[in-house]
């Protein structure tokens, strides 16, 4: 019970690795790592989880291949198919959940199109877990009945942005911004311009769940300036629930 | 590595148990269950995970105490504090993530107010994982840059609803509705009234991740009628990504 059924050769498993602490991997994800012949690993995947792999397993860091600063998604898709067709048990280990801005569906589709058996093990998403580890619930009874997770990778005024920031303000849901550190100033400005109260509580949580987790709390009007020195990865929470932000991690340290 | 540090007597750990399959518990959550003296368990928590508890551990089903159909939250808060003060290692095991409509913050606050040491182990949220297990990514590159998770427990026209359905439509995020089976007809009607296209793909995923998982796919205009016979728990996804719905679970069966 609680262990992944035997992983067949030629199969790909897309494993969500959680926000970074190996203790926040799933039991099924761990079982997949333990059985893998080859692991294709992102830079945000939990590094400590690789200790669970068999000594003879091949670990491919697909964030750092020679052809550039990162491996193009198309090449990752090809690698998954190539390794599976060679009869290996393939684990694709990502940070967070592979279906939350993780391009997991593209990998699943590439495998399926190639006739490769592919499975999904969902992970703990940073969008919910990182706020929690900073003491912030994305929902709270009597306060908010929903939350919206958005990518801050594309600035609000960019033609490629599909988001309607006026509607995000009007929705009255908690806003959780992933990949938004670089554009936090623009995002906060846009929310203010669409009428979100300047004193709305906000928090930036950097390195969530790690021993050096850092939480910056400030009203929306000040949050971008206050968090100006923060390096990614970080999760930003905007809404009444952000007032609960604690200054220390709440999870037990894992050993 | 990957195991919860020793759980001290008198400590409460709030563990998110994931959507129901014990394989989707976290490694740290499993370690907490293994060390617990007493477990306070919800009806949506993964039942198989209790096999990891010590034989002498006390299991309290807080969904079925004699005083009614469920245990009032205030009584659960009291029980957490009472057991911790008696020097026990207390695990509060919930379905999904305790901070996504799980009232986890109320339990954390009750413990903190009583001076009881309390920790949080985030879980795999059904809001992301159940769609994934049905083959639906809540985000997809080129299609959608955000998703909104809302409680469907309160009908759209109810005075207690804090949600603005016009804004939800305008936000152009994927909508994920939890606890919405009973009100699905009203929710779909309200979205249509606010201009969401009648042919927007939608899917209802019942018993996500369980061997009897069921996926109902239909355009928004028809989804409530098509899913009329579905019993909770179920997760509803509304948006272009729902077109990816598969008809079979994608996770390896756990054994």
């Amino acid at each position: 019970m609680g262990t992944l059924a035997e992983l067949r050769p030629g199969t790909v498993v897309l494993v969500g690795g959680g926000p970074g602490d190996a203790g926040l991997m799933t039991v099924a994800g761990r079982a997949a790592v333990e059985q893998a012949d080859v692991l294709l690993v992102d830079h945000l995947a939990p590094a400590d989880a690789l200790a669970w792999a068999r000594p003879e397993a091949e670990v491919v860091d697909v964030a750092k291949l020679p052809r550039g600063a990162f491996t193009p998604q198309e090449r990752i898709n090809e690698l998954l198919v190539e390794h599976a067709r060679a009869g290996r048990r393939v684990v694709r280990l990502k940070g967070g959940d592979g279906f939350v801005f993780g391009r997991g569906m593209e990998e699943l589709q590439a495998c399926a199109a190639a006739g490769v058996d592919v499975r999904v093990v969902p992970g703990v998403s940073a969008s919910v877990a990182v706020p929690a580890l900073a003491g912030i619930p994305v929902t709270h009874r009597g306060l908010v009945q929903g939350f919206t997770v958005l990518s801050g990778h594309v600035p609000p005024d960019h033609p490629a942005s599909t988001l309607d920031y006026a509607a995000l303000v009007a929705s009255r849901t908690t806003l959780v911004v992933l990949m938004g550190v670089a554009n936090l100033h623009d995002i906060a400005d846009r929310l203010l311009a669409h009428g979100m109260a300047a004193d709305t509580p906000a928090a930036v949580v950097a390195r969530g769940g790690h021993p050096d987790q850092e939480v910056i709390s400030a009203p929306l009007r000040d949050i971008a300036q206050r968090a100006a020195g923060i390096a990614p990865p970080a999760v930003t929470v905007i809404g009444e629930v952000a007032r609960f932000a604690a200054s220390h991690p709440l999870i037990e340290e894992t050993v």
Side-chain angles (χ1 to χ4, degrees), chain A:
Chain A
M1 182 209 54
T3 55
L4 197 72
E6 193 190 349
L7 198 53
R8 288 182 298 281
T11 299
V12 172
V13 186
L14 309 177
V15 174
D21 181 315
L24 295 180
M25 287 265 298
T26 61
V27 169
R30 175 177 177 160
V33 168
E34 288 170 345
Q35 296 179 62
D37 295 311
V38 57
L39 298 104
L40 278 71
V41 181
D42 268 357
H43 75 289
L44 289 179
D48 289 346
L50 296 177
W52 293 326
R54 295 179 305 127
E56 62 271 32
E58 179 186 359
V59 176
V60 182
D61 182 349
V62 289
K64 289 179 188 168
L65 280 192
R67 69 168 64 192
F70 66 99
T71 308
Q73 185 63 50
E74 295 68 24
R75 180 62 189 141
I76 296 174
N77 297 351
E78 288 169 4
L79 286 169
L80 292 171
V81 170
E82 288 169 12
H83 283 294
R85 284 185 170 160
R88 301 195 182 96
R89 289 164 289 198
V90 185
V91 166
R92 173 74 175 108
L93 183 61
K94 295 162 172 285
D97 180 275
F99 280 0
V100 177
F101 307 122
R103 307 189 68 168
M105 194 65 195
E106 296 170 63
E107 298 176 357
L108 187 148
Q109 290 174 321
C111 292
V116 167
D117 188 19
V118 57
R119 307 283 168 154
V120 176
V121 178
V124 171
S125 174
S127 63
V128 168
V130 168
L133 293 170
I136 304 172
V138 290
T139 71
H140 188 62
R141 189 176 170 87
L143 210 55
V144 60
Q145 291 164 3
F147 64 100
T148 300
V149 179
L150 52 134
S151 165
H153 182 65
V154 175
D157 55 357
H158 193 281
S161 174
T162 67
L163 296 167
D164 182 323
Y165 278 76
L168 293 177
V169 172
S171 75
R172 289 185 288 181
T173 61
T174 302
L175 301 185
V176 180
V177 186
L178 304 187
M179 300 173 285
V181 170
N183 295 317
L184 188 53
H185 193 87
D186 286 352
I187 291 167
D189 273 0
R190 183 61 63 100
L191 294 172
L192 292 167
H194 285 298
M196 186 175 276
D199 61 353
T200 302
V204 174
V205 187
R207 302 176 299 284
H210 292 269
D212 60 343
Q213 173 174 304
E214 191 176 355
V215 183
I216 311 234
S217 296
L220 177 60
R221 75 166 78 82
D222 301 324
I223 191 67
Q225 190 184 344
R226 289 281 311 284
I230 294 292
V235 175
T236 302
V237 186
I238 302 165
E240 289 302 319
V241 291
R243 79 160 88 113
F244 291 118
S247 58
H248 59 88
L250 289 164
I251 190 174
E252 283 280 351
E253 259 187 80
T254 58
V255 293

